[in-house]
Amino acid sequence: MAFGPHLLLAALEGLVTSAVLALTALGLSLVFGVMRVVNVAHGEFYMLGAVIAWWVASLVGGHPAVGFLAALVISPLIVGVIAFAAERLVLARLSYSPEATIVATIGMLYILQQAALSLYGPEARPVPPPFNYRILLPWFGYSGYKLSVVVASALLLLATWYVLAKTRIGLVMRATQYDRETAQAFGIPVGQVYAGVFALGAMLAAVAAVLIVPISQAHYLMGHDPLLLSFIVVIIGGLGSLRGTVVAAVAIGMADGIISVFFSPTLAKIIATLLVALVLVFRPQGLFGETAR
Amino acid sequence: MAAVTPLLTTTGLKKVFGGLTAVDAVDFAVMPGEIRAVIGPNGAGKTTFVSLICGRLPPSSGEIRFDGRDITGLPAHRRVRLGIAYTFQITSVFANLSVYDNVALAVQRTAADRRWTGSLRDGVMSALSRTGLAGRAQERAGALAYGHQRLLEVAMGLALRPRLLILDEPTQGLSDGEIESFTDLVREIAQDATVLLIEHNMPVVMALAHRITVLDAGKVLAEGSPEEIRANAAVQAAYLGATAA
Amino acid sequence: MKPVNTPARPLILHGAVIAVLFALNFLLPDYHHGVLARVMVLAVFAMGYNLLFGYTGLLSLGHAMFFAAGLYGAALPMVHLEWSALSSFGTGIAAGALLALAVSLLALRTTGVAFMIVTMMFAQVAYLLTLYFGEWTRGDEGLVIPQPQRHIALPGLDLDLTSPTTRYMTALVLFSAVLLATLAIVRSGFGRVLVAIRENEERTRLLGFDVFANKLAAVTLSGAICAAAGATYAILFGYAGATFASIQYSILPLLWVLLGGAATTLGPLIGVLLMYYLVDASGPLLEQYLPGWKLSSLGIVGVSLVLLVLFFPKGILGTVRERWVKWLP
């Protein structure tokens, strides 16, 4: 393949990565923004989303689209319930101290990962895509499903933005983020808002995973990379900033897609991680973000 | 008399937070051995002003000289080593450390700077005796009564062997009896250190201060002996009339 | 009232712990003898971590990089340059101390959550580098140090580090040295400043201390101690693999220290010992009662972390100190 088409392919792959990454990172960013909790277990919610999607799809027979759509609804819901329970049972009892919550979410990471290993096993399993349509470009054919992932992610991002910016739920969340005590004084059930935010964050990761699982298979260790990339996105985009998160996700996803086509993935990861660490050192509010409160 | 140079001077000292000028072009001088009170209504910029002197905040413009040396750009910890000690308005002793260790931190600093040559224990115990805390050396600082925590703050300040001791609202929250012994303590400290006192309690100010500087809205409104300040109509209007009547 | 004066009691306690460990060399059956040698080396790792996390109050999520710096700093010259064990031990510590100094110059510009993430990312870079330079490190597979090289040649004495007793005693010497050094640091003026920084940075600064310089010293010292553990591990057990640089080995010292008691000198040993046997004992039990569940030690690590932070945040010795033995250092 010539350089131009090769680059186009890389860019398309990058776009898919960006779309899924934006959803995942938004979940992490939301939890940090509202609760000031760094959720190290975020990648495991992503993994759970994929694994449960496989489970649901394998239970539902018939056309692959039926199983997939069932998974798209059920899997995030189950993950949301698990996250809600984890927040109520663990994080809420730690008074959201930064050190204690980070240690607790590290614990959750291993618990969820090992639970998946026990119940799901070490195999990597695919979920069949809801449709198989190849878009024929002059140089190569490209999976229609992959492009639909981009569209679906964009719609979900818009929906999330709408909820955050335009609805009462979003208002309550912002009030809680802005000033916890005052929100409480105004009768906002802060504890439930926190649990809801934590669940929503996890569900965003889960829905991203359901979208990606027909492309890359479900595996109990698959949460590691999304966690790291989400961290990178949230740091570059500014902690707790929605717009910055999306912009950064697109930048990182495209860069990741393009770089990994042309360079050794390990070297790309080394350079990316190092650069992001330096961003955090020298510009802790991120490159795009508003100043973190 | 004329040969004596000020220990501390500020020239055109200014601090702006966002749009608010908290300290506005303050020219200020303290003579060695003096007890100087800085008073003013809430929000007058008193704490900001002393925070600039001790280096907790960087000034927006202006100059600070200590003992003839320009210290405007010096970090806080270096100023402490030159002999500027600050006791906090909000008590911030190390609650989980013993009373002894709290003061030992100050003594080991002066020992490292060779401004204290005795043993650590002697340095700690002398500061504790002067503040009447010697019997509580092994107690956890956080377990002390509030008045004793304030005294511990002062003991830590003393143990730094300062040439300039800044006391930020030291009598806040103390009982009348505690205030009286505190006043005696400050007089005693002033025998070998210059004292800069921020205080709301006017009887304490009048009893202790050699001179008083009145700040209002970040500017020096008046300066003079306690009698002069008492007689100053502008001060009465801005401050005394409102609170001490 | 006081049977022994206060400063002497901790010395006696620590002396007794070392004496017991020495005696155990002659009493333990082979298996536990080998375990304890390993536990002592890992306890040094935990003590290095504790100096920073427990005493200075800086939560690093990247200490695997310092352990790995010691591990590879010793193993690489031994395998590729055929250096002696003793000089490789030196290069291991030097590598760890230098890395810690460089990392802390950057990471200490941040605080709180950002510090945790920055350290984690630097450690991730270090881990990826061990994979990237797989030609020399042999990545996950790891380097095996040839048996003939694993000895210490001293004038008139040749210590064979593949013999269990020599190995145990070498581990004990390192452990004792670091334990006593930690005790000395904690009781020194420097140690007092570190605790003061943990409790209230601003107040410490206004007592005339350069907070940044003291933190820098703490990270460097902590890194050097962890590297000493890594170098010793490579030399005594003859193996250096990339797993030791992975995030898991940044989490383990945190867990050990939390379990044993942060900011206690003996907590790290207790934490490592308990965790080792907990994982060791739970394996067969789980296999017996939940066959086919393929549960690994990581699940136990996870459950322990959550339970500790929820119900037992001061750890074993931290609680003992709070309730009963106030003088415990």
Side-chain angles (χ1 to χ4, degrees):
Chain A
M1 215 186 302
F3 180 80
H6 204 156
L7 189 67
L8 178 66
L9 178 63
L12 284 172
E13 291 291 308
L15 203 59
V16 176
T17 310
S18 305
V20 174
L21 184 55
L23 279 176
T24 315
L26 183 60
L28 189 71
S29 174
L30 206 59
V31 168
F32 183 81
V34 176
M35 303 167 68
R36 302 272 113 182
V37 165
V38 176
N39 180 16
V40 183
H42 195 64
E44 304 316 305
F45 289 127
Y46 177 93
M47 177 276 292
L48 278 186
V51 165
I52 295 173
W54 173 84
W55 180 66
V56 171
S58 65
L59 285 182
V60 179
H63 191 273
V66 180
F68 178 81
L69 287 176
L72 195 59
V73 174
I74 295 171
S75 170
L77 282 178
I78 296 179
V79 170
V81 169
I82 294 173
F84 193 93
E87 203 281 342
R88 290 288 84 192
L89 289 176
V90 181
L91 300 184
R93 299 184 184 202
L94 296 173
S95 345
Y96 304 102
S97 122
E99 278 86 8
T101 47
I102 215 167
V103 173
T105 56
I106 293 170
M108 289 181 195
L109 181 160
Y110 287 127
I111 293 173
L112 294 175
Q113 189 186 83
Q114 295 303 311
L117 173 62
S118 299
L119 301 170
Y120 171 82
E123 300 86 4
R125 299 189 179 101
V127 169
F131 56 88
N132 283 306
Y133 176 74
R134 285 189 82 75
I135 298 171
L136 288 173
L137 299 172
W139 314 277
F140 53 83
Y142 197 71
S143 154
Y145 175 72
K146 283 189 180 179
L147 290 180
S148 75
V149 166
V150 177
V151 175
S153 299
L155 289 177
L156 282 164
L157 284 171
L158 272 176
T160 313
W161 170 81
Y162 181 81
V163 169
L164 293 182
K166 301 284 170 190
T167 64
R168 209 187 114 68
I169 300 173
L171 182 70
V172 165
M173 272 168 54
R174 272 178 287 135
T176 314
Q177 165 175 20
Y178 191 72
D179 186 340
R180 197 179 163 195
E181 274 75 36
T182 314
Q184 199 136 32
F186 275 94
I188 293 175
V190 168
Q192 279 165 36
V193 173
Y194 275 20
V197 167
F198 196 72
L200 180 61
M203 288 165 77
L204 282 169
V207 99
V210 180
L211 290 176
I212 207 73
V213 83
I215 301 168
S216 69
Q217 307 175 330
H219 185 251
Y220 82 105
L221 288 176
M222 74 190 289
H224 188 257
D225 280 357
L227 175 69
L228 212 69
L229 284 175
S230 297
F231 265 137
I232 292 178
V233 165
V234 172
I235 288 164
I236 301 273
L239 297 163
S241 142
L242 194 152
R243 196 187 35 185
T245 302
V246 174
V247 175
V250 172
I252 298 293
M254 296 299 283
D256 188 69
I258 293 173
I259 290 173
S260 54
V261 167
F262 293 103
F263 296 97
S264 133
T266 310
L267 187 60
K269 270 190 206 165
I270 290 173
I271 294 168
T273 313
L274 200 57
L275 285 178
V276 169
L278 294 177
V279 168
L280 197 50
V281 167
F282 292 103
R283 274 194 65 98
Q285 70 278 33
L287 294 179
F288 300 92
E290 302 107 53
T291 318
R293 261 178 50 82
Chain B
M1 277 303 285
V4 180
T5 53
L7 180 66
L8 174 84
T9 55
T10 72
T11 323
L13 196 62
K14 196 168 191 170
K15 180 68 188 178
V16 183
F17 294 109
L20 177 84
T21 308
V23 172
D24 195 356
V26 171
D27 297 326
F28 179 84
V30 183
M31 291 298 164
E34 194 179 343
I35 300 181
R36 170 69 63 92
V38 175
I39 63 171
N42 280 328
K46 305 182 297 284
T47 293
T48 309
F49 177 61
V50 291
S51 296
L52 296 174
I53 293 174
C54 70
R56 290 177 78 191
L57 296 172
S60 307
S61 64
E63 190 193 57
I64 308 167
R65 297 186 86 83
F66 182 71
D67 200 16
R69 177 177 170 189
D70 184 355
I71 59 163
T72 318
L74 221 53
H77 65 266
R78 298 284 303 280
R79 299 188 197 193
V80 177
R81 295 181 201 177
L82 292 178
I84 301 178
Y86 176 80
T87 70
F88 280 67
Q89 177 180 8
I90 299 155
T91 303
S92 62
V93 296
F94 298 103
N96 289 322
L97 268 60
S98 69
V99 169
Y100 181 92
D101 279 337
N102 268 273
V103 181
L105 279 160
V107 177
Q108 77 185 54
R109 179 69 258 162
T110 49
D113 301 338
R114 296 174 194 280
R115 297 193 292 123
W116 169 253
T117 48
S119 76
L120 186 68
R121 171 160 287 274
D122 290 350
V124 174
M125 292 321 286
S126 103
L128 287 178
S129 319
R130 284 177 75 182
T131 46
L133 291 172
R136 303 181 183 273
Q138 293 311 319
E139 286 180 31
R140 207 174 65 86
L144 291 179
Y146 181 77
H148 287 134
Q149 291 196 17
R150 299 254 40 156
L151 284 173
L152 178 55
E153 275 276 350
V154 176
M156 289 159 79
L158 276 181
L160 284 172
R161 305 180 69 75
R163 298 170 65 197
L164 176 68
L165 178 62
I166 302 171
L167 298 167
D168 196 351
E169 308 229 2
T171 65
Q172 202 179 41
L174 296 189
S175 71
D176 288 350
E178 286 171 330
I179 289 180
E180 203 163 307
S181 51
F182 189 83
T183 318
D184 294 340
L185 177 60
V186 173
R187 271 204 199 91
E188 194 198 313
I189 292 168
Q191 285 169 6
D192 39 33
T194 308
V195 175
L196 191 57
L197 176 72
I198 295 184
E199 188 54 76
H200 266 303
N201 184 322
M202 289 315 292
V204 171
V205 171
M206 292 301 170
L208 279 174
H210 300 149
R211 286 177 74 76
I212 299 174
T213 301
V214 186
L215 284 186
D216 187 27
K219 289 196 167 83
V220 177
L221 183 69
E223 193 173 295
S225 68
E227 293 71 30
E228 287 163 355
I229 294 299
R230 209 194 298 267
N232 186 313
V235 175
Q236 281 179 5
Y239 181 62
L240 295 177
T243 56
Chain C
M1 232 356 236
K2 292 179 184 171
V4 190
N5 68 350
T6 315
R9 275 190 295 199
L11 270 182
I12 294 170
L13 173 69
H14 290 71
V17 168
I18 292 170
V20 167
L21 288 171
F22 180 79
L24 284 174
N25 175 53
F26 306 101
L27 302 172
L28 285 179
D30 282 353
Y31 174 72
H32 296 284
H33 185 265
V35 166
L36 199 54
R38 212 169 281 253
V39 162
M40 283 191 286
V41 176
L42 293 177
V44 171
F45 183 16
M47 285 193 277
Y49 187 80
N50 189 29
L51 189 66
L52 197 63
F53 168 62
Y55 290 100
T56 320
L58 286 171
L59 200 166
S60 148
L61 290 179
H63 260 49
M65 68 180 140
F66 304 132
F67 187 80
L71 194 80
Y72 283 111
L76 288 173
M78 281 181 91
V79 170
H80 297 294
L81 305 172
E82 292 180 16
W83 283 20
S84 75
L86 216 49
S87 35
S88 301
F89 180 67
T91 51
I93 293 183
L98 278 175
L99 179 65
L101 182 65
V103 164
S104 58
L105 276 171
L106 291 168
L108 284 176
R109 296 172 56 106
T110 65
T111 53
V113 168
F115 180 80
M116 303 175 206
I117 298 179
V118 166
T119 48
M120 187 171 80
M121 294 198 137
F122 280 130
Q124 182 67 15
V125 169
Y127 170 63
L128 292 172
L129 282 173
T130 62
L131 297 181
Y132 188 70
F133 291 105
E135 207 178 315
W136 290 285
T137 63
R138 307 181 107 245
D140 282 327
E141 190 189 325
L143 289 171
V144 175
I145 300 169
Q147 286 226 353
Q149 268 184 282
R150 288 162 55 200
H151 70 99
I152 300 177
L154 295 171
L157 184 69
D158 195 80
L159 298 172
D160 174 16
L161 297 175
T162 56
S163 119
T165 301
T166 325
R167 197 146 68 179
Y168 186 97
M169 284 302 170
T170 314
L172 179 60
V173 167
L174 177 80
F175 172 81
S176 310
V178 172
L179 179 67
L180 295 177
T182 310
L183 184 63
I185 290 168
V186 167
R187 287 161 46 137
S188 72
F190 175 55
R192 196 182 281 125
V193 174
L194 295 187
V195 171
I197 289 174
R198 179 189 75 198
E199 295 289 315
N200 187 339
E201 229 179 278
E202 170 82 344
R203 190 73 186 91
T204 312
R205 187 174 293 119
L206 283 166
L207 283 172
F209 295 100
D210 187 338
V211 169
F212 185 82
N214 276 287
K215 281 183 177 176
L216 203 64
V219 181
T220 310
L221 198 57
S222 167
I225 293 173
C226 295
T232 308
Y233 197 96
I235 295 166
L236 290 189
F237 305 105
Y239 173 77
T243 322
F244 289 110
S246 69
I247 174 88
Q248 188 190 333
Y249 274 83
S250 291
I251 305 301
L252 281 174
L254 171 67
L255 172 61
W256 294 328
V257 168
L258 276 175
L259 175 60
T264 62
T265 47
L266 290 166
L269 173 67
I270 293 180
V272 178
L273 199 61
L274 277 181
M275 216 52 224
Y276 200 102
Y277 277 105
L278 183 63
V279 168
D280 209 37
S282 61
L285 276 179
L286 289 172
E287 196 54 47
Q288 191 177 346
Y289 293 102
L290 299 168
W293 279 51
K294 305 178 218 60
L295 283 174
S296 82
S297 62
L298 286 175
I300 294 163
V301 168
V303 173
S304 312
L305 279 173
V306 172
L307 291 181
L308 273 175
V309 84
L310 271 181
F311 303 111
F312 205 48
K314 287 194 185 324
I316 294 169
L317 286 188
T319 307
V320 167
R321 171 163 63 193
E322 193 177 56
R323 301 257 174 93
W324 302 289
V325 194
K326 299 261 185 282
W327 53 267
L328 214 59

